[in-house]
Amino acid sequence: MERTGTGRISLQKRETNETKIRLTLNLDGSGQAHIHTGIGFFDHMLKGFARHGLFDMDLTVEGDLEVKKRLQASPAYYIIKTRRFPA
């Protein structure tokens, strides 16, 4: 995690054989979200999650949606849920 004068910010990148994921999360944000997973409903839910949680999230997921959409959603969810911030 990176601490800056403006808040608590985390940057995470993860690559698997099927996906490339980049997440920037600012816990002291204003609810701004730039989500691009290729799965419309997943994008919608994550934007609402950030908006109502009042944190900023920038998430980009690249992968092969023709194989399985789950291969994009599962790793993206994993890196979001494993972000740990000190109190």
Side-chain angles (χ1 to χ4, degrees):
M1 181 183 77
E2 171 188 330
R3 280 191 173 266
T4 65
T6 60
R8 297 168 291 169
I9 300 172
S10 176
L11 172 64
Q12 175 128 9
K13 295 178 185 177
R14 182 172 185 208
E15 290 190 28
T16 66
N17 291 334
E18 295 87 11
T19 59
K20 293 181 184 176
I21 302 168
R22 183 177 184 276
L23 170 70
T24 304
L25 190 61
N26 178 359
L27 291 184
D28 299 317
S30 61
Q32 298 296 313
H34 303 283
I35 312 290
H36 305 284
T37 66
I39 305 169
F41 184 71
F42 192 50
D43 291 355
H44 168 76
M45 294 302 291
L46 290 174
K47 286 176 185 176
F49 181 55
R51 181 175 55 251
H52 294 292
L54 295 176
F55 54 85
D56 296 341
M57 181 189 301
D58 187 354
L59 176 67
T60 303
V61 181
E62 298 174 5
D64 187 3
L65 284 174
E66 297 299 319
V67 177
K68 283 190 177 179
K69 290 182 180 181
R70 181 187 62 78
L71 293 176
Q72 298 219 155
S74 294
Y77 171 71
Y78 174 78
I79 67 168
I80 292 169
K81 77 174 187 167
T82 57
R83 292 295 68 213
R84 304 261 192 269
F85 294 90

